[in-house]
Amino acid sequence: FFNRGLVLGLLQRGYGELSNRDPAILDYIQAGLRLIMSCPSVLELFELLQMEALRLVCERPAPPLCARLCQLLGDFPQCLPRGRKLSLAFCQQLVRSIAHFQSQGTREAELRLYVSQVTQVSALLRSVWKAEPDTLLPSLQELFAVISAADTSFEPSVALASLVQHIPLQMITVLIRSLTTDPNVKDASMTQALCRMIDWLSWPLAQHVETWVIALLKGLAAVQKFTILIDVTLLKIELVFNRLWFPLVRPGALAVLSHMLLSFQHSPEAFHLIVPHVVGLVHSFKRDGLPSSTAFLMQLTELIHCMMYHYSGFPELYEPILEAIKDMPKPTEEKIKLILSQSAWTSQSSSLPSCLSRLSGKSETGKTGLINLGNTCYMNSVIQALFMATDFRRHVLSLNLNGCNSLMRKLQHLFAFLAHTQREAYAPRIFFEASRPPWFTPRSQQDCSEYLRFLLDRLHEEERTLKALSSAKSSESIMTDESQAQEAVHKTQVFTEAPCAGGEERTLIEKMFGGKLKTNICCLNCKSMSQKEEAFTDLSLAFCPPTSLENVDPKCMEHSEVKDDYMVQSNTLATSPAAETPLNNLEVNRGCGTIINEGTIEDFSSEPSSENTTISELQVENNGDMSQSLVGKNTLSVTDLLNYFLAPEILSGDNKYYCEKCASLQNAEKTMQIIEEPEYLILTLLRFSYDPKCHIRRKILDNVSLPLVLELPVKRATSPLAVVSGGWSVGVELSDTGENLAKKLKPSGADEVTCPQLVPYVLSSVVVHSGVSSESGHYYSYARNVTGSGPSGLCHQSTALSLVSPQDKLFTEESPCTIVENELDTEMPREWFLFNDSRVTFTSFQSVQKITSRFPKDTAYVLFYKKQNSTCGFNANPANGLWVNGDPPLQKDLMDAITKDNKLYLQEQELSARTQALQAASASCSFRPNGFDDNDPPGSCGPTGGGGGGGFSTVGRLVF
């Protein structure tokens, strides 16, 4: 009696009180099938059940019935629909049925039963896919159609997540590529599908859901569909975070949360959505005490540190979080930078055909290039060097300049974009127009040193003017008109006459780059002395003329031997806008008392004879030493040029000095001393000398070696005791050193001496000129992050310069600085960057040192040295923990402008990618995305330098 009619009646009409949708009907049929398995009539039932099974799943059975059907079909595979068409329809309809599943209860037992029923259904699908692989792809297309549907009246069940674990992982690449590049898949559909896939993270026991979600997110980033990524992240980030409360789904949720947050780098919006919930979750993890909770807490802490580093400047939001995670390990800055650089949307490698251009986000260095606006490499190289002067950058970014349209405000804006933009390179048009000296012809090559002097002088003068105006305004409320005028005049006089009187009156440029030079001229006839002090922001170092050094008694040199080619200049912070003040020509005299030699102090061979005699007048027996040291070497060093700069000069012949006491021209000795050292020492090597025969400025192509650590002799009038307390600033053990040195230098009966201190500086940036004349060529710069002290100061105090006492230094073969230099260079292999307009790459100090030997026209021109172990007032701030990445928080309007531009950039990238995708068939390979102006303008502001000569390929020529 168990025949076709009975089975058909049971499935279509039920039995008695049992509905045809009651799972008991299927129990009955399965029991019957077992009984008649050996009868031929069973084949007829199998054929019937194949059709009925398809009909049943098309009617969207409830989970219990569907699970029972799948159990029956699993036990009797002969009942599965046969033939490609029916089999495919069955799989697709079963996917649709799962999409309609809903749990009938909320108690744990009911939920467990529901999950097991769903698992049975997905297991049947897996077996069908395995037996008939052709059904897999159409099933997945059906799955995508379900989750991408825009029908708001129907929300697909998260039970679909149970299917994901059965999709072979090796299909990820193919599927994601076809999904993200299919022109028929609209953005709204993709957004809907991605949102629902993220909802699947709530499904317990589902495996690989996070793998597919992350793969799809990366795939969309690779084809630059950033609009979808932004919308989905902002919609779903809180839901993903809330999943972390549930241990069963926590691993997948944390993986997706990490990817979403770390890749969303253009704006703090997504991170700030979850910030209010972090502290509660952290405390919950701590209360758990479970090993798994502790492990997850460490991962979460690392993620939070990365985000607070990237979006510093919100102390009111981050303080509670920092307090909650203070006892958890904190990742290093290098690790944070690596994680962020690898996670950005713009760093996702595109899996598209190579005819589509590569992504053009920030380079792996994390630094931003500057677009060449037409022979503006002279500005770009200087700006990058100033930006990498860490303490200066932090001071600029911390200024409150709201409502001010000053040049400093524009510099702050430029620095903020260099630090936070997602663009590979930024176009500094506004700053260029505001900072270009009026005599500079647009789109023509200029001298970067001249530009730097003009820029610093403008910033300095502007700040003094603003201070004077604000002082005048603040006095209005308490003074009459007459007294106001007097006060304003008085204030202006104070600013004009004594800009450095009192630390609080100094401008930022003076604090960072300002030093003081003292010039002494001693009449050799009456021995009277005249002195002059002047401020400087850079020292211009002339090359030592060989004729003035060889076979000539230094005391008898005539001025005619040193022409204007070798004029030494120092940039002065004058009250007038003049950018540079030429000093008198210098000639070398071996009477210099202190010769700096990268960490050593030359011995003095004679004592001063009277109180009035300064150290610089001390004579050394071997007058030939200086010329040998400067000329005898193949390669000059910066130290040699500084020695030459500070060496005494005899004013004689046409250059005699007018002595007021003698009331006539007299031979005189002129010496210069640095009496106040700057925070950043800027040295310009005077490579361009005027050729009177050809009437052009020729370039001196001599190689100059650059010491990583330089010691600057600073001569202050001080007491011997003060030498002990504050003289040597690099951590030297001073128990008796200072006193011994003071005794050695101190003339008998004198209360004070001019005491030389060797102030250590570390190399921060090098601006290189490539070319053979100042009117052509190209500028680029090398730089590294150098901060004041601590590990980031790049110098370990324990070994810095406390190796030997100053007396011992006089006789040591290897100077302590050489040791420090070696140590510094081996400590951080990727700390140097090469900034070449819009290109930024990692490089090494070896590349900096060897540049001229490898490319003879490429020579170091402007050097930035940072005073070692000096904090500039920033490191003392305990709130630094809230700056996280070391830079101060940005003003809100600046952060808003950057966020807005980052969104615009992502939209530009997306539009570009879509346009190229449409033209993919005919598009030619492009390696210069986004139209960045790396094609060098005429006039040779290009990588080849020197008017475009040199025969080098323009691609990557300076990337070592």
Side-chain angles (χ1 to χ4, degrees), residues 586-835:
L586 297 184
E587 295 178 13
V588 176
N589 184 335
R590 192 58 183 95
C592 179
T594 303
I595 301 296
I596 56 171
N597 189 22
E598 295 175 35
T600 64
I601 306 176
E602 299 290 344
D603 200 358
F604 301 105
S605 61
S606 63
E607 291 278 6
S609 56
S610 72
E611 286 188 34
N612 294 330
T613 311
T614 62
I615 288 175
S616 55
E617 290 177 85
L618 303 178
Q619 301 302 310
V620 178
E621 291 172 2
N622 183 358
N623 283 338
D625 283 356
M626 182 66 162
S627 59
Q628 288 168 12
S629 68
L630 295 182
V631 181
K633 297 188 205 174
N634 291 329
T635 303
L636 288 169
S637 73
V638 172
T639 308
D640 295 329
L641 300 187
L642 261 172
N643 284 341
Y644 180 57
F645 179 84
L646 294 171
E649 172 193 4
I650 299 298
L651 305 177
S652 60
D654 293 340
N655 198 32
K656 280 186 179 180
Y657 164 68
Y658 181 81
C659 176
E660 292 185 359
K661 193 170 180 181
C662 301
S664 63
L665 291 171
Q666 296 290 340
N667 289 345
E669 183 186 58
K670 174 178 160 185
T671 58
M672 283 199 294
Q673 302 166 353
I674 297 168
I675 58 171
E676 193 175 298
E677 75 278 13
E679 202 60 50
Y680 284 93
L681 175 66
I682 302 177
L683 303 175
T684 302
L685 310 187
L686 291 177
R687 290 193 171 274
F688 302 111
S689 60
Y690 182 70
D691 186 337
K693 293 179 183 176
C694 304
H695 302 290
I696 58 169
R697 289 177 76 203
R698 291 194 183 280
K699 181 177 176 182
I700 301 168
L701 292 170
D702 296 4
N703 192 7
V704 176
S705 69
L706 312 175
L708 196 58
V709 179
L710 180 74
E711 291 191 315
L712 187 72
V714 179
K715 301 181 181 180
R716 300 189 186 92
T718 181
S719 67
L721 286 175
V723 176
V724 181
S725 60
W728 301 77
S729 59
V730 194
V732 179
E733 294 297 326
L734 283 176
S735 53
D736 61 4
T737 316
E739 290 183 23
N740 291 340
L741 183 64
K743 285 174 187 172
K744 182 167 187 174
L745 299 176
K746 182 182 174 187
S748 56
D751 291 330
E752 290 191 337
V753 297
T754 306
C755 183
Q757 296 176 323
L758 292 181
V759 179
Y761 282 80
V762 288
L763 186 60
S764 168
S765 304
V766 180
V767 178
V768 174
H769 178 263
S770 174
V772 291
S773 79
S774 61
E775 287 78 28
S776 64
H778 178 56
Y779 290 102
Y780 55 93
S781 53
Y782 292 95
R784 62 171 176 165
N785 285 314
V786 179
T787 50
S789 59
S792 55
L794 302 175
C795 202
H796 301 284
Q797 294 190 20
S798 57
T799 58
L801 289 174
S802 58
L803 303 168
V804 284
S805 67
Q807 293 100 308
D808 295 336
K809 283 188 197 177
L810 308 177
F811 310 107
T812 25
E813 292 181 11
E814 181 176 21
S815 76
C817 278
T818 312
I819 300 165
V820 177
E821 215 169 292
N822 297 337
E823 191 177 303
L824 289 175
D825 206 31
T826 52
E827 283 286 320
M828 310 240 180
R830 286 161 79 85
E831 65 173 353
W832 281 92
F833 303 95
L834 169 57
F835 296 91

Side-chain angles (χ1 to χ4, degrees), residues 334 337-338 341-342 362-367 388 781-785 828-836 839-848 854 956 958-960:
E334 287 71 28
K337 285 180 178 177
L338 182 66
S341 66
Q342 290 173 342
K362 274 192 177 182
S363 71
E364 60 173 345
T365 61
K367 302 294 180 188
M388 293 297 285
S781 53
Y782 292 95
R784 62 171 176 165
N785 285 314
M828 310 240 180
R830 286 161 79 85
E831 65 173 353
W832 281 92
F833 303 95
L834 169 57
F835 296 91
N836 196 343
R839 290 185 296 278
V840 186
T841 51
F842 284 117
T843 186
S844 65
F845 182 59
Q846 283 76 14
S847 296
V848 185
R854 292 182 65 182
L958 285 166
V959 182
F960 306 129

Side-chain angles (χ1 to χ4, degrees), residues 362-562:
K362 274 192 177 182
S363 71
E364 60 173 345
T365 61
K367 302 294 180 188
T368 306
L370 285 169
I371 294 172
N372 193 314
L373 305 174
N375 282 317
T376 57
C377 58
Y378 66 88
M379 175 187 74
N380 291 351
S381 56
V382 163
I383 293 299
Q384 295 286 19
L386 289 172
F387 178 79
M388 293 297 285
T390 310
D391 290 336
F392 177 63
R393 177 182 73 245
R394 290 177 180 174
H395 272 90
V396 170
L397 290 175
S398 67
L399 294 172
N400 185 2
L401 300 170
N402 285 337
C404 177
N405 192 31
S406 62
L407 183 61
M408 184 63 84
R409 171 67 172 171
K410 292 179 174 69
L411 182 66
Q412 185 185 56
H413 188 274
L414 177 54
F415 277 7
F417 268 80
L418 283 177
H420 297 284
T421 185
Q422 293 228 299
R423 296 181 183 274
E424 181 185 35
Y426 180 72
R429 289 186 179 86
I430 294 172
F431 187 79
F432 172 65
E433 291 304 325
S435 66
R436 178 174 60 84
W439 60 91
F440 275 20
T441 310
R443 304 192 72 81
S444 65
Q445 185 58 283
Q446 304 293 344
D447 186 334
C448 79
S449 173
E450 189 178 359
Y451 172 78
L452 174 61
R453 288 196 188 108
F454 177 80
L455 175 63
L456 295 181
D457 192 63
R458 270 279 307 277
L459 293 169
H460 164 71
E461 292 293 335
E462 182 183 81
E463 185 178 344
R464 282 177 49 201
T465 306
L466 288 172
K467 278 184 177 178
L469 288 172
S470 64
S471 298
K473 280 183 182 176
S474 64
S475 61
E476 286 179 11
S477 58
I478 53 171
M479 295 185 189
T480 63
D481 290 346
E482 185 181 346
S483 61
Q484 274 179 37
Q486 291 172 352
E487 181 68 14
V489 168
H490 172 67
K491 290 275 184 188
T492 309
Q493 285 172 346
V494 169
F495 277 114
T496 307
E497 293 167 10
C500 296
E504 70 281 0
E505 295 294 346
R506 299 178 73 201
T507 66
L508 177 59
I509 300 303
E510 287 175 312
K511 289 173 189 169
M512 290 288 112
F513 304 104
K516 272 190 184 175
L517 270 176
K518 180 177 173 185
T519 306
N520 296 311
I521 299 180
C522 176
C523 174
L524 296 179
N525 182 44
C526 68
K527 301 300 180 186
S528 64
M529 180 83 73
S530 69
Q531 295 184 343
K532 186 174 98 175
E533 289 184 9
E534 53 191 338
F536 68 88
T537 52
D538 80 310
L539 298 178
S540 296
L541 306 182
F543 281 73
C544 325
T547 53
S548 66
L549 293 168
E550 293 175 347
N551 306 318
V552 179
D553 181 357
K555 285 283 180 188
C556 305
M557 285 193 293
E558 290 295 320
H559 174 67
S560 58
E561 291 177 53
V562 187

Side-chain angles (χ1 to χ4, degrees), residues 71 91 145 154 230 255 441 458 470 537 571 791 849 860 881 897 900 942 947:
Q71 189 183 339
C91 289
F154 169 67
I230 292 170
T441 310
R458 270 279 307 277
S470 64
T537 52
N571 185 28
Q849 287 175 311
K900 183 179 177 183

